Amino acid sequence: MTDVARKAGVSTMTVSRALRDGASIATSTREKIMRAVDELGYVLDQSAGSLSSKRTGFVAALVPSLNNSNFADTARGLTDALQGAGLQVLLGYTDYLIEKEEELIEAMLRRRPEAIVVTGGRHTARGRKLLVNAGIPVIETWDLPPRPVRHVVGFSNAEAAEALVRHLHGKGYRKIGFIGGTSNRDTRGADRRLGYERAMAALGLRETRIISFGTPPISMKQGGEALARLIEQWPDVEAAICVSDLSAFGALMECNRRRIAVPDRIAIAGFGNFEISSCSFPAITTVSVNCYDIGRRSGELLLRAIEGERARKPIAAETVITDYEVIARESA
């Protein structure tokens, strides 16, 4: 600020007032100071003011993957909702590991965000404790946890998978398989498998055909390899539900390589409504979960919650249930 004051020909106190929101200062003086700021490339260090005002100007958001278009859309929806409110989004990447999520929660809280958004409702015991005691608005997304930390914006992955099984059943398929990962590292994928099992039992289809292959998130290549195993283990399988559209695309390509007709010999279905599912041939039947809307509605809820914290009138815990729907296409 000394350099800015010298260049603008004013005192450092005047510079400080000019850079402070709501401070009374002549317009011409402020403009002169801001020109000096631009010419010097000066960036205001807000950390000291943040400690006293508790307004750091950013919210933390933790996502499982950075190369998954679904979570990218959620981050975009969150950013769009916060645009114009003076809040920026700081992203953290958990790689589907709740242990890594715990580390990131602690690291983010040290930087004093005004709110935090996490993906999913399952955390380590310490991670949950950190969220509960954070003293800021917390939103769990992409899930409907039985014991929410505070606010929730999401849907039931199990119920969405059940809807997909019922859709295939309605199309006449009975010998339906499920392709997922080798562990519950992807908790939403584990819920989809649970939904598959529940729907099969409810429909009287007692023989499940489950292939657990690859570390979550399952890639296209792993989806193809899993499809090969599914057919080898259960040659009579009529349809395969994949934990995501990426693994479904890999399964579809494996069918093409083996000259297995889709859907005449075997139907393929995915989850997530990725762009690739609508562009593939045949196009893939999937579940659309409106990823952008999850982020947008999380941002809108955050703004209300942050305003309540600033006014010392915290809002009541809210659960916002987002829509999902089965998108029927040529693969099933």
Side-chain angles (χ1 to χ4, degrees):
M1 284 200 297
T2 301
D3 293 337
V4 172
R6 185 182 301 114
K7 188 171 186 64
V10 298
S11 68
T12 54
M13 181 60 72
T14 302
V15 173
S16 178
R17 289 174 56 211
L19 298 177
R20 193 182 314 131
D21 289 339
S24 176
I25 188 171
T27 301
S28 58
T29 303
R30 188 189 299 274
E31 290 175 350
K32 182 167 58 175
I33 290 171
M34 295 312 298
R35 281 197 300 272
V37 165
D38 290 340
E39 291 172 10
L40 291 171
Y42 173 79
V43 176
L44 177 65
D45 183 352
Q46 293 183 325
S47 58
S50 297
L51 290 173
S52 59
S53 68
K54 296 185 179 180
R55 297 190 182 188
T56 55
F58 84 93
V59 300
L62 305 186
V63 296
S65 173
L66 295 177
N67 62 354
N68 183 316
S69 62
N70 279 1
F71 298 121
D73 284 345
T74 297
R76 182 167 58 87
L78 176 62
T79 301
D80 286 353
L82 298 178
Q83 189 174 20
L87 291 168
Q88 300 295 324
V89 177
L90 181 61
L91 281 177
Y93 162 53
T94 69
D95 196 24
Y96 291 88
L97 293 169
I98 59 174
E99 295 80 11
K100 188 172 181 181
E101 181 198 60
E102 176 191 313
E103 296 175 2
L104 284 170
I105 291 171
E106 182 175 16
M108 291 294 191
L109 291 179
R110 285 177 179 172
R111 288 162 175 77
R112 300 176 181 270
E114 297 196 40
I116 185 166
V117 180
V118 295
T119 303
R122 298 181 194 173
H123 321 283
T124 65
R126 183 168 180 269
R128 179 180 175 84
K129 186 175 181 179
L130 288 170
L131 292 172
V132 168
N133 296 325
I136 57 175
V138 174
I139 297 183
E140 294 165 292
T141 63
W142 275 84
D143 203 352
L144 292 180
R147 290 193 311 128
V149 172
R150 185 64 176 168
H151 306 292
V152 174
V153 177
F155 63 99
S156 170
N157 283 270
E159 290 180 7
E162 287 184 64
L164 185 54
V165 173
R166 293 182 184 280
H167 171 78
L168 293 178
H169 182 269
K171 300 278 285 186
Y173 299 103
R174 297 294 181 268
K175 299 173 182 178
I176 304 169
F178 181 87
I179 292 174
T182 55
S183 72
N184 288 342
R185 173 174 164 178
D186 177 7
T187 58
R188 287 157 301 285
D191 284 345
R192 292 166 198 169
R193 171 176 167 166
L194 174 62
Y196 159 79
E197 293 173 322
R198 285 197 322 214
M200 293 288 284
L203 292 167
L205 306 176
R206 301 190 178 280
E207 186 180 1
T208 58
R209 296 164 171 80
I210 298 174
I211 293 294
S212 299
F213 185 87
T215 301
I218 300 179
S219 66
M220 297 181 193
K221 183 176 184 296
Q222 291 168 333
E225 294 171 351
L227 187 281
R229 290 194 182 187
L230 179 67
I231 293 176
E232 288 167 8
Q233 190 164 342
W234 292 284
D236 63 342
V237 66
E238 299 172 345
I241 292 177
C242 300
V243 72
S244 77
D245 282 354
L246 294 183
S247 55
F249 181 79
L252 179 63
M253 292 301 98
E254 183 66 21
C255 288
N256 287 346
R257 280 189 289 273
R258 291 170 175 249
R259 296 191 180 354
I260 297 173
V262 176
D264 295 339
R265 165 59 187 85
I266 184 171
I268 302 292
F271 198 105
N273 197 25
F274 290 35
E275 185 178 10
I276 196 171
S277 67
S278 62
C279 297
S280 63
F281 182 79
I284 298 171
T285 291
T286 186
V287 176
S288 173
V289 296
N290 203 341
C291 317
Y292 178 87
D293 196 48
I294 292 174
R296 180 185 62 81
R297 298 184 74 175
S298 295
E300 292 170 350
L301 176 53
L302 272 187
L303 290 177
R304 296 198 305 274
I306 290 172
E307 187 58 35
E309 292 292 328
R310 289 176 177 176
R312 297 184 180 180
K313 295 180 180 179
I315 66 172
E318 292 187 27
T319 294
V320 178
I321 299 178
T322 56
D323 296 330
Y324 62 81
E325 65 172 322
V326 175
I327 305 295
R329 298 191 178 116
E330 294 90 343
S331 71

